[in-house]
């Protein structure tokens, strides 16, 4: 008896000589392959593409999948369209993502916000304002790139946003007050690391709250050939546990390296001689760091994550045993970004 999976494999694009656009261009089982893919997805240059160009890219991707692409279309044209498609459309729903929530907006958006957080952190009003802006941006990104199999209400969004903003401001304000009371600390560079600690604390709160529906109801898991089995809370926990460290590590180079560079410039008297250079220099160092750290950290874990059959809920294991032959060792899910 020929199974559905066997038919799918028999008709796979690789065997027919066509590109497989259901998968990224690069091997996602290796870190290098995932990093190359994420460099394309987060390429800030794609943010300049207008709706007409993005829609044309989507049309070509869809047409190619159906074998209806224009005559003479080259593989490079298809991959270029796929790059634009991945940078602006949700991988599950195919819907165009909100501009600020797209992965291609991560570098320019975070460069501006992080640069300002690293520059304006000493006064309480500045600290509150930029942490508010940062958490607003994070909330948009988290919601836009959530797993599409879950639904989150406006009340849940508001709770996640308020909690993360409160946490980041509380950590930053508390550390600032402690540092100002210490003559030794206030004269050093330790104060410049306050935004990093605030962001780390906020991420630990913001992401689980933003994805609380997934944690409560589970996210869709499927077999290797795409057969959906059901929703798993265990998979949701695994997804969130992978996203949190990735986000914190993503901020580490820009918010960790920038204080060291700026302290060195300050020690050489450049900031005192040219005060206007403070913000541009901070933005430049932050931007360069984010260009590398954003795709590098997004690639730490596969976007199409796997969970062992033994880690699933008992009812899902029973369902797999009844529906899928031969029995797979693991199922797959979209972990989100």
């Amino acid at each position: 008896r020929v199974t559905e999976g066997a038919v799918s494999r028999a008709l796979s694009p690789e065997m027919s000589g066509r590109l497989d656009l259901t998968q990224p261009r690069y091997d996602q089982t290796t870190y290098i392959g995932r990093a190359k893919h994420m460099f394309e997805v987060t390429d800030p240059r794609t943010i300049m593409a207008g709706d007409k160009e993005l829609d044309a890219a989507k049309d070509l991707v869809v047409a190619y999948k159906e074998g209806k692409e224009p005559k003479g279309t080259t593989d490079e044209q298809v991959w270029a369209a796929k790059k634009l498609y991945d940078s602006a459309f949700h991988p599950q729903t195919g819907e165009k993502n909100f501009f600020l929530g797209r992965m291609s907006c991560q570098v320019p958006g975070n460069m501006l916000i992080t640069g300002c957080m690293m520059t304006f952190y000493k006064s309480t009003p500045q600290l509150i304002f930029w942490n508010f802006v940062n958490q607003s941006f994070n909330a948009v990104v988290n919601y836009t790139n959530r797993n599409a199999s879950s639904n989150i209400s406006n009340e849940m969004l508001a709770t996640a946003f308020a909690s993360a903003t409160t946490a980041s401001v509380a950590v930053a304000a508390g550390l600032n007050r402690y540092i100002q009371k210490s003559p030794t600390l206030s004269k050093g560079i330790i104060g410049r690391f306050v935004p990093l600690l605030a962001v780390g604390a906020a991420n630990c709160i913001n992401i689980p709250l933003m994805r609380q529906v997934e944690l409560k109801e589970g996210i869709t898991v499927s077999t290797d050939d795409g057969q959906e089995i059901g929703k798993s809370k265990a998979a949701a926990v695994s997804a969130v546990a992978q996203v949190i460290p990735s986000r914190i590590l993503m901020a580490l180079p820009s918010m960790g390296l920038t204080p060291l560079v700026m302290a060195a410039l300050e020690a050489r008297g450049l900031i005192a001689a040219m005060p206007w250079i403070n913000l541009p220099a901070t933005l430049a160092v932050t931007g360069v760091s984010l260009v590398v750290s954003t795709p590098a950290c997004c690639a730490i874990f596969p976007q199409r994550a796997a969970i062992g059959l033994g880690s699933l809920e008992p009812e899902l294991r029973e369902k797999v045993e009844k529906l899928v032959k031969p029995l797979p060792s693991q199922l797959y899910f979209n972990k989100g970004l």
Side-chain angles (χ1 to χ4, degrees):
R1 178 171 175 261
V2 180
T3 65
E4 182 179 349
V7 172
S8 176
R9 286 189 293 273
L11 300 177
S12 66
E14 294 88 342
M15 297 185 70
S16 63
R18 292 176 62 81
L19 304 176
D20 184 3
L21 298 190
T22 64
Q23 301 296 330
R25 182 175 189 175
Y26 306 102
D27 183 6
Q28 297 299 285
T29 62
T30 68
Y31 174 76
I32 296 299
R34 294 195 298 272
K36 287 181 178 179
H37 172 64
M38 291 311 305
F39 266 106
E40 291 199 340
V41 172
T42 61
D43 186 346
R45 294 173 297 181
T46 61
I47 203 67
M48 303 301 293
D51 284 342
K52 186 176 181 180
E53 188 176 356
L54 291 174
D55 290 337
K58 180 179 181 179
D59 290 343
L60 179 55
V61 169
V62 172
Y64 189 88
K65 287 181 178 179
E66 296 174 350
K68 300 177 181 178
E69 73 277 7
K71 187 176 181 181
T73 301
T74 66
D75 287 356
E76 284 305 315
Q77 287 175 324
V78 175
W79 283 126
K82 181 70 160 52
K83 175 180 177 178
L84 275 182
Y85 177 83
D86 288 342
S87 74
F89 294 86
H90 195 281
Q92 289 175 293
T93 65
E95 296 179 357
K96 190 182 299 177
N97 288 331
F98 177 57
F99 178 80
L100 291 177
R102 297 174 191 171
M103 292 309 295
S104 52
C105 193
Q106 279 287 287
V107 172
N110 275 320
M111 179 182 72
L112 177 61
I113 295 171
T114 303
C116 289
M117 287 180 71
M118 302 297 291
T119 303
F120 310 111
Y121 64 91
K122 293 184 178 180
S123 76
T124 301
Q126 291 175 342
L127 183 150
I128 292 175
F129 175 76
W130 285 109
N131 274 279
F132 173 83
V133 172
N134 184 51
Q135 290 311 316
S136 298
F137 183 65
N138 284 344
V140 171
V141 172
N142 290 340
Y143 178 75
T144 302
N145 295 284
R146 73 198 184 284
N147 186 292
S149 65
S150 66
N151 295 309
I152 185 167
S153 67
N154 291 333
E155 291 76 11
M156 292 176 177
L157 285 174
T159 299
F161 170 73
S163 300
T165 302
T166 301
S168 62
V169 170
V171 170
L175 287 174
N176 263 359
R177 184 175 300 178
Y178 176 76
I179 290 169
Q180 289 170 1
K181 289 181 179 179
S182 171
T184 304
L185 293 178
S186 62
K187 293 179 181 179
I189 68 168
I190 189 65
R192 290 184 179 273
F193 290 97
V194 168
L196 173 61
L197 299 175
V199 167
N203 275 331
C204 291
I205 296 174
N206 192 358
I207 295 173
L209 284 175
M210 191 63 66
R211 300 179 65 172
Q212 59 185 288
V213 174
E214 297 174 39
L215 295 172
K216 291 177 180 178
E217 300 178 0
I219 55 177
T220 301
V221 291
S222 59
T223 60
D224 190 28
D225 57 8
Q227 181 183 354
E228 293 187 0
I229 301 300
K231 289 190 174 184
S232 168
K233 295 179 182 179
V237 171
S238 178
V240 172
Q242 292 176 44
V243 170
I244 290 176
S246 296
R247 288 290 186 85
I248 294 175
L249 289 173
M250 192 187 301
L252 189 58
S254 60
M255 304 188 85
L257 177 63
T258 303
L260 299 177
V261 173
M262 298 310 296
L265 294 178
E266 195 171 22
R268 295 185 180 185
L270 292 178
I271 302 297
M274 297 181 289
W276 58 268
I277 203 175
N278 191 17
L279 180 57
T282 301
L283 290 175
V285 177
T286 301
V288 171
S289 300
L290 286 170
V291 166
V292 177
S293 68
T294 300
C297 292
C298 284
I300 293 175
F301 300 103
Q303 176 70 12
R304 183 175 182 252
I307 183 170
L309 200 60
S311 300
L312 292 172
E313 293 82 347
E315 60 272 19
L316 279 180
R317 288 201 301 269
E318 292 177 6
K319 190 174 181 180
V320 173
E321 290 170 357
K322 292 179 180 179
L323 296 179
V324 187
K325 302 296 180 183
L327 191 66
S329 60
Q330 56 189 13
L331 296 181
Y332 300 89
F333 60 92
N334 175 35
K335 73 172 178 64
L337 291 169

